[in-house]
Structure formats: C-alpha cells, structure tokens
C-alpha cells in the first residue's frame, strides 16, 4: 500500500477579472489548453497534457527583486525553441524582458500575460 506521495502539479489557478480573456491569451500565445473557470476550451479540451520534465518548486524571499513585489507567484514554463517563440510573441506585441542565460541551467526570458502576471520562459540547457 502506498504511503502517499505527490506526483506532480495537478493544476494552476489564476484569479482574473476576465477569466475567458486570460485563458484565451494562454491558448493563443503559448499553446496551453487553458480554460476559464473550469469550462472546456473552444476545442472541448479540459486539461493541458504537458511533456514530462523537470519542475522547480521554490520559495523566494519576500523582498526578492527577481519578480515584481506586488505579485506573490511567477509562472515558469519549460519551453523548446525559445528564440522562435520570442519572435512570435514579439510579432503579437508581447515584449520579452529580463533575458538571462545560466551555465548548465538554460536560457530565460520574462513576459507578462494580459493581466500583468509574470511568466518566465525557460529553455533548459
């Protein structure tokens, strides 16, 4: 009998004044099957089947300047083809900020969703 263990992140829930707009932003710009308040996507999808890989779950000091002080959480998404994705986002008027490469870790770029939430894109080394 299992002693019980966490297998992974089962969901991410973000408050928004317009959940449908926010879900559409993630679908349109990042290809995530995001839903609005538990409603299926226009394609009838309920979940986003992500590829297995590393996940960092880390606390940051309250006074960290790594992301905006008025935000308690920053979403970090593992990506492939970061430069191509950034070119597509730029064409859509989405600016990438805080670009950084870390030896042995990978390359990072920060964007913000339509509600101003920070989203870090990470292409692992």
């Amino acid at each position: 009998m299992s002693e019980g263990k966490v297998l992974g992140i089962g969901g991410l829930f973000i408050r928004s004044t317009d959940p449908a707009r926010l879900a559409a932003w993630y679908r349109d710009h990042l290809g995530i099957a995001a839903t609005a308040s538990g409603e299926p996507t226009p394609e009838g999808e309920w979940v986003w089947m992500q590829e297995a890989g590393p996940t960092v779950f880390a606390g940051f000091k309250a006074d960290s300047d790594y992301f905006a002080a008025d935000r308690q959480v920053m979403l970090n998404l593992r990506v492939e083809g970061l430069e191509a994705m950034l070119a597509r986002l730029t064409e859509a008027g989405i600016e990438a900020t805080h670009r950084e490469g870390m030896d042995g870790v990978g390359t990072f770029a920060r964007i913000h969703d339509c509600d101003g939430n920070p989203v870090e894109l990470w292409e692992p080394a």
Side-chain angles (χ1 to χ4, degrees), residues 1-24:
M1 179 154 101
S2 173
E3 294 181 25
K5 68 177 183 176
V6 174
L7 300 176
I9 296 173
L12 176 67
F13 309 102
I14 305 173
R15 292 184 194 271
S16 176
T17 56
D18 190 343
R21 177 183 65 119
L22 184 65

Side-chain angles (χ1 to χ4, degrees), residues 54-68:
T55 299
V56 175
F57 192 109
F60 278 71
K61 291 184 176 183
D63 62 353
S64 171
D65 63 356
Y66 193 66
F67 54 95

